[in-house]
Amino acid sequence: MEQTLGRSLYLAHRVVHDELDRRLYEHGASVWNWVLLREAANAGGASQRELADLMGIEPPTLVRHLDKLADEGLVERQPDPDDRRVVRVVVTKAGHKRLALLHEVVHELDTEMRGALPPRDVDVLQRALAHVYEHFTEEVTHGRS
């Protein structure tokens, strides 16, 4: 029986995720640390809830990861000056330095993956994955099932 496209996509995702996590672990981080630092840096003082939404995770899960990054001095939680109920997440100087290192690790793996395929296949794969993503995010956005 032929393997389904979804299964192939899952297996490729899993092996790349695990390899990236392994490489980031060598630098005291994980995929979640990298994603959270990246989103926090890009969002520039987003609230914890906004970051959770950006990452597609529940706020309690985010808090666990934020606690670790805050303990390492990579992010700071700051009260919102206009709404004391809101806590803003700001990446520290040390956090930006760590993020730059983690980006290097991510780009090394990306370069390796691109080198495993002919350039034409890289382009086709990127377009195909974008179409799959758009298809299913449209379904969620428009309430189709």
Side-chain angles (χ1 to χ4, degrees):
M1 176 177 214
E2 185 178 346
Q3 184 161 277
T4 65
L5 188 56
R7 178 77 175 147
S8 295
L9 185 59
Y10 169 77
L11 291 173
H13 160 77
R14 187 80 247 162
V15 72
V16 171
H17 179 279
D18 289 350
E19 180 60 19
L20 179 57
D21 211 36
R22 185 190 68 72
R23 292 181 187 196
L24 292 172
Y25 183 79
E26 292 174 2
H27 299 279
S30 69
V31 170
W32 283 109
N33 296 154
W34 169 65
V35 170
L36 177 50
L37 274 175
R38 185 191 67 201
E39 293 298 337
N42 289 340
S47 72
Q48 290 185 177
R49 176 163 295 285
E50 291 166 339
L51 281 176
D53 289 344
L54 285 170
M55 293 177 64
I57 61 175
E58 294 298 317
T61 302
L62 175 76
V63 168
R64 203 172 63 240
H65 294 292
L66 272 179
D67 288 345
K68 182 180 184 320
L69 295 180
D71 289 346
E72 294 178 26
L74 303 176
V75 298
E76 291 178 350
R77 291 177 169 113
Q78 299 176 352
D80 185 293
D82 300 322
D83 186 346
R84 293 178 10 173
R85 297 168 297 173
V86 175
V87 175
R88 302 272 168 205
V89 178
V90 178
V91 179
T92 64
K93 186 176 180 178
H96 282 287
K97 187 175 179 180
R98 172 69 66 88
L99 182 57
L101 171 68
L102 300 181
H103 275 317
E104 287 179 26
V105 174
V106 169
H107 288 291
E108 286 173 8
L109 181 59
D110 185 70
T111 299
E112 187 177 327
M113 285 189 300
R114 289 170 183 274
L117 298 169
R120 184 177 187 286
D121 288 356
V122 171
D123 293 339
V124 169
L125 179 60
Q126 283 209 277
R127 283 195 312 275
L129 291 173
H131 287 301
V132 170
Y133 178 81
E134 289 167 12
H135 174 78
F136 287 104
T137 54
E138 267 186 29
E139 282 191 3
V140 170
T141 303
H142 292 101
R144 296 185 304 238
S145 50

